[in-house]
Amino acid sequence: MGRIIAYNTEVLPGNKLIVTIPVTKDLGIDIRIKAHILAGKHDGPTLLILSMLHGEEWFSVLIIRELIKILNTDQLRGNIIAVPVTNTSAFNTGTRCIIDNSDEPDANRSFNGKYLWISNQITRVIENELFAVSDYLIDYHVGSWGSSMADIGYGSDYADKDLVEISKGMAVSYGFPIIHAMKMFQGTHSDRTSMGCAGTKYGIPGIVPEIGGLGFGEEIEKDWLNQNIKGIIGNLKYLNMLEGTPDLCSEYLFITDYWRTSPKNAGYIETKIGLDRQFTSIKKDEHLADIIDPETFEIIEQLKSPGDGVLFYTCRNYMSRPGGWAFGIANMENGRSRWVKKEDIYLQKSPKNRIKSN
Ligand SMILES: [Zn+2]
């Protein structure tokens, strides 16, 4: 049966429980992780859902709240462990990183760490208490206020090809048309990230859904919420944790190369294109936004598309610092990003069940 033991707490089949896992004591406050444990009525694997490793990306809290509201554990095969606020320290300051003068302030770059910084201790608890009992990972990274994200990331370059195929299957089953085939060992990614560490050290396939953001109004944000719930349900079906087959998109854009188009200078980003341009073609030099000096009101910079591509993530008008989140454009020039019809995607049908013994 779907009995699970998490942090020495036994959760019986069909039950839901919140487990509090202590991490460390900071000045005046305790740092801990509250994990919702949903034990399915039936046997199956354990899916770990993390949110808010970055302290300002709180849209994903709403996704987990909705999931817990609608999910019937009587129908669930296996278990779900869901953590709405993984990094309480950065959440407390409303910042991506932990404000503690450490040299590893970003919790999603400090897995597999050696030290005792708060980020290292949080990720160590995730590894020892949660990765150790999980078979699959979904780690949310949504937009902070003013910016939205719009892709499902998966690790495309693990040495273990089975891990790549199951991760890709999870990404496709999310039912969102933009898929980022991430290189886990390039740029800012490595085995220090959640997905990199889960894959390489624990053999756990996973995805990073990045759909949505904050400050776009209730109607749009509700739509993003629904897309994410559909995505989790699609994953549960793909992983044989719920009955049925996931709803796939008719076509997916697989992105391996993209331009992160951000302001070089701080200022008010005044957009020239709206959310209606998402997933549409953008020409080289197309005017995306003006950057306005907040003191003189002069236009100090123009954001333009660096090349021919497809717009996926975008922002609303907001005050940004240098390098802030603005636009993501899939590079369509060199053939490294391409639209693929669902019929042409190889989808590993039944993921290998690597159920950990409790
Ligand atoms: Zn993030």
Side-chain angles (χ1 to χ4, degrees):
M1 302 296 271
R3 166 184 166 276
I4 182 170
I5 295 175
Y7 193 60
N8 301 321
T9 308
E10 183 171 357
V11 187
L12 294 173
N15 285 11
K16 297 181 186 180
L17 201 72
I18 298 172
V19 174
T20 302
I21 311 173
V23 175
T24 183
K25 278 188 163 314
D26 196 3
L27 292 172
I29 56 167
D30 292 338
I31 308 292
R32 75 283 182 284
I33 289 173
K34 283 185 186 284
H36 292 249
I37 315 289
L38 287 76
K41 259 275 161 69
H42 314 279
D43 261 348
T46 296
L47 169 67
L48 173 64
I49 304 178
L50 297 179
S51 138
M52 291 201 75
L53 268 165
H54 292 139
E56 87 292 31
E57 299 170 359
W58 58 261
F59 179 67
S60 48
V61 168
L62 309 180
I63 302 170
I64 293 181
R65 175 184 177 223
E66 184 69 14
L67 175 74
I68 288 170
K69 211 189 294 179
I70 63 157
L71 196 87
N72 183 352
T73 49
D74 286 351
Q75 293 165 358
L76 185 66
R77 298 185 194 125
N79 308 298
I80 295 174
I81 303 175
V83 184
V85 183
T86 307
N87 185 346
T88 47
S89 184
F91 185 40
N92 179 250
T93 51
T95 49
R96 174 186 175 95
C97 295
I98 294 169
I99 310 298
D100 67 347
N101 289 334
S102 88
D103 55 5
E104 299 203 339
D106 187 331
N108 201 30
R109 304 289 184 274
S110 27
F111 280 83
N112 215 1
K114 288 194 279 191
Y115 306 118
L116 293 173
W117 301 116
I118 297 170
S119 61
N120 297 134
Q121 297 207 52
I122 288 173
T123 53
R124 194 166 295 130
V125 165
I126 295 169
E127 285 193 48
N128 293 343
E129 302 297 337
L130 304 180
F131 283 177
V133 297
S134 299
D135 303 290
Y136 303 105
L137 171 69
I138 294 180
D139 179 24
Y140 281 100
H141 288 273
V142 291
S144 49
W145 199 97
S147 67
S148 78
M149 293 285 125
D151 68 271
I152 311 297
Y154 79 96
S156 64
D157 59 349
Y158 298 118
D160 179 349
K161 294 302 161 214
D162 200 37
L163 199 66
V164 174
E165 285 307 321
I166 299 170
S167 302
K168 190 180 89 180
M170 291 172 72
V172 171
S173 304
Y174 211 85
F176 189 76
I178 310 294
I179 293 188
H180 185 190
M182 294 165 82
K183 301 284 180 203
M184 297 309 300
F185 304 98
Q186 276 183 22
T188 60
H189 297 125
S190 71
D191 60 357
R192 307 296 309 276
T193 65
S194 62
M195 206 162 66
C197 176
T200 53
K201 196 169 165 187
Y202 295 86
I204 299 174
I207 51 170
V208 172
E210 305 183 310
I211 306 174
L214 295 157
F216 291 81
E218 287 174 6
E219 199 180 322
I220 291 167
E221 290 171 16
K222 178 81 181 151
D223 189 46
W224 286 332
L225 185 64
N226 291 338
Q227 287 182 46
N228 280 295
I229 293 297
K230 184 183 147 214
I232 300 177
I233 300 296
N235 264 245
L236 292 172
K237 290 177 176 173
Y238 171 66
L239 300 173
N240 294 318
M241 295 176 72
L242 280 181
E243 194 65 45
T245 48
D247 287 335
L248 304 187
C249 300
S250 55
E251 220 177 357
Y252 292 87
L253 179 63
F254 277 80
I255 298 172
T256 53
D257 192 10
Y258 76 102
W259 293 288
R260 190 187 281 190
T261 305
S262 300
K264 195 172 177 186
N265 304 284
Y268 184 67
I269 303 179
E270 195 167 70
T271 58
K272 298 295 166 190
I273 56 165
L275 275 177
D276 58 320
R277 288 294 307 276
Q278 262 190 321
F279 319 140
T280 67
S281 294
I282 295 278
K283 286 275 169 225
K284 180 174 166 58
D285 290 331
E286 189 168 341
H287 190 185
L288 305 174
D290 287 335
I291 309 302
I292 313 291
D293 185 312
E295 293 172 299
T296 66
F297 313 135
E298 287 168 298
I299 298 173
I300 51 171
E301 192 182 336
Q302 285 193 327
L303 293 187
K304 293 183 172 176
S305 178
D308 292 341
V310 171
L311 180 75
F312 61 109
Y313 75 76
T314 182
C315 66
R316 52 157 290 163
N317 293 355
Y318 82 111
M319 204 67 78
S320 171
R321 295 182 69 191
W325 300 103
F327 304 98
I329 299 162
N331 182 346
M332 301 301 283
E333 286 182 351
N334 55 11
R336 292 179 66 195
S337 302
R338 58 197 181 92
W339 287 99
V340 185
K341 290 197 182 342
K342 71 174 173 187
E343 298 78 25
D344 299 330
I345 298 173
Y346 167 72
L347 195 62
Q348 185 150 322
K349 285 289 186 296
S350 53
K352 200 162 71 179
N353 251 3
R354 289 180 271 205
I355 303 174
K356 296 194 167 116
S357 54
N358 279 317

